[in-house]
Amino acid sequence: MTAQDPRTKFSSEKIPKQEQPLPGLQTKLDPKPDCGEETYQGYGRLTDYKMLVTGGDSAIGRAAAIAYAKEGADVAINYLPAEEEDAEEVKNVIEAAGRKAVLIPGDLRDEQFNYELVEKAYNELGGLDNVTLVAGHQQYHDDIKGFTTEAFVETFETNVYPIFWTVQKALDYLQPGATITTTSSIQGYKPNPILHDYAASKAAIISLTKSLSEELADKGIRVNCVAPGPFWSPLQISGGQPTSKIPEFGQNTPLGRPGQPVELSGIYVHLAAEESSYTTGQVYGVTGGGQIN
Ligand code: NAD
Ligand code: MG
């Protein structure tokens, strides 16, 4: 395979304006994001691993779930019940790769559900080697007065609290060599004022990744974080961005286009695989060139 120009590997055309209610569905997105359904090639880097992916129905979480399966892992995915249609598509791709798919719908804002989710994933997969936390909530507001207490609470309850709850339960099962992968954002470093609560929650995820990695190193468990830049996904058109910004979404990056979720697949795989055995407490930017530091 020859190297491809990163500027033209995927489209930099204007995206049609569109809106969906929460949660946005990938099946209704135009154009469809590339989550590696056809394009990701596995090389057996996770043979027989057991993985749990939150937000695994669509976009970034879907890309991680599909890549894990194509690398040989059995995968449980969590998503909201309203996203069943998207989740069924992912299940089909995982099964077509010859691996087991476990679907566990439910709301991560419910503390008890988090414990049940991890327990069910462990029981149905017959083990647990990695927890990949991708689920997230992003709603923009024009100015600080638009950010209600309810908005802040919902953002933190979705983006931050489930890290505590899932990790606490997963420690009943994870063995030395296991990994936890979180998902922050370039917003955790460069906060946009229309996303005060979201950006703060993504900064919290970076901090938690580092403190958890310090604590869990003693157990032989590695914890790392992926910080994406602008990726084409349902999150953006269901209140994540003003609709007026959708056509040019991602075009102000150095590479001049939005990312496609499959361009994150390799880093999620790397952070769960043996090849990254000396890596913990790190944040990986995949941003189209935007700086994280
Ligand atoms: P997405 O809409 O496909 O994924 C978000 C997922 O979060 C949904 O599929 C849904 O299953 C899950 N979710 C939301 N609320 C939930 C709840 N209460 N309970 C259970 N699940 C819930 O969009 P995406 O862009 O792939 O987002 C995935 C992650 O990537 C998010 O954490 C997001 O913050 C992060 N991220 C996205 C971008 C981007 O540009 N798309 C950039 C940086 C970070
Ligand atoms: Mg979804």
Side-chain angles (χ1 to χ4, degrees):
M1 195 200 292
T2 52
Q4 286 177 264
D5 185 332
R7 299 167 301 175
T8 52
K9 182 171 177 183
F10 292 101
S11 172
S12 56
E13 297 288 301
K14 284 190 178 172
I15 298 171
K17 280 187 187 167
Q18 55 203 286
E19 284 177 38
Q20 290 185 35
L22 275 173
L25 289 180
Q26 175 143 340
T27 34
K28 298 207 168 88
L29 267 190
D30 171 30
K32 298 271 179 283
D34 185 339
C35 296
E37 293 90 340
E38 309 290 335
T39 51
Y40 187 82
Q41 164 81 51
Y43 295 98
R45 290 148 84 194
L46 298 171
T47 302
D48 292 333
Y49 278 47
K50 315 290 181 193
M51 328 278 286
L52 167 61
V53 183
T54 69
D57 59 301
S58 51
I60 295 171
R62 176 190 288 220
I66 288 174
Y68 292 162
K70 290 193 178 188
E71 296 287 354
D74 295 327
V75 188
I77 65 169
N78 161 250
Y79 50 93
L80 287 164
E83 298 173 305
E84 191 64 36
E85 201 179 331
D86 280 356
E88 290 291 338
E89 284 190 357
V90 179
K91 181 171 190 268
N92 290 340
V93 181
I94 293 172
E95 289 177 350
R99 303 308 310 189
K100 182 169 185 177
V102 179
L103 301 186
I104 315 178
D107 192 330
L108 291 169
R109 289 180 296 156
D110 172 350
E111 177 178 351
Q112 192 55 37
F113 172 71
N114 286 259
Y115 306 136
E116 291 162 12
L117 167 66
V118 177
E119 186 180 11
K120 194 164 182 194
Y122 173 80
N123 286 335
E124 297 210 9
L125 294 171
L128 194 62
D129 299 297
N130 165 277
V131 179
T132 297
L133 300 162
V134 185
H137 178 77
Q138 174 183 331
Q139 293 285 288
Y140 85 91
H141 297 286
D142 290 326
D143 55 44
I144 182 67
K145 291 206 170 184
F147 288 82
T148 60
T149 302
E150 291 72 25
F152 250 91
V153 168
E154 184 165 8
T155 301
F156 274 75
E157 273 182 347
T158 313
N159 297 0
V160 182
Y161 295 4
I163 298 178
F164 279 98
W165 297 327
T166 53
V167 169
Q168 282 169 352
K169 184 65 183 171
L171 290 178
D172 291 348
Y173 308 122
L174 297 178
Q175 300 297 315
T179 52
I180 295 164
T181 309
T182 60
T183 306
S184 178
S185 168
I186 194 168
Q187 290 292 322
Y189 295 90
K190 289 207 172 96
N192 183 329
I194 66 169
L195 295 171
H196 286 302
D197 58 350
Y198 175 82
S201 76
K202 292 293 169 178
I205 292 171
I206 293 164
S207 175
L208 275 170
T209 303
K210 292 177 180 175
S211 57
L212 282 169
S213 74
E214 293 263 344
E215 179 178 337
L216 301 185
D218 258 0
K219 299 184 192 300
I221 297 169
R222 298 184 293 111
V223 189
N224 291 291
C225 180
V226 180
F231 277 78
W232 178 229
S233 82
L235 190 91
Q236 305 300 344
I237 51 82
S238 50
Q241 298 284 335
T243 305
S244 60
K245 301 258 192 236
I246 293 300
E248 280 85 29
F249 180 69
Q251 290 188 355
N252 65 352
T253 58
L255 290 179
R257 63 169 177 85
Q260 294 297 324
V262 69
E263 296 181 281
L264 286 163
S265 306
I267 195 69
Y268 279 99
V269 168
H270 174 70
L271 293 175
E274 270 312 299
E275 64 202 31
S276 64
S277 51
Y278 199 53
T279 302
T280 193
Q282 305 302 311
V283 185
Y284 279 69
V286 183
T287 61
Q291 298 297 321
I292 61 157
N293 48 47

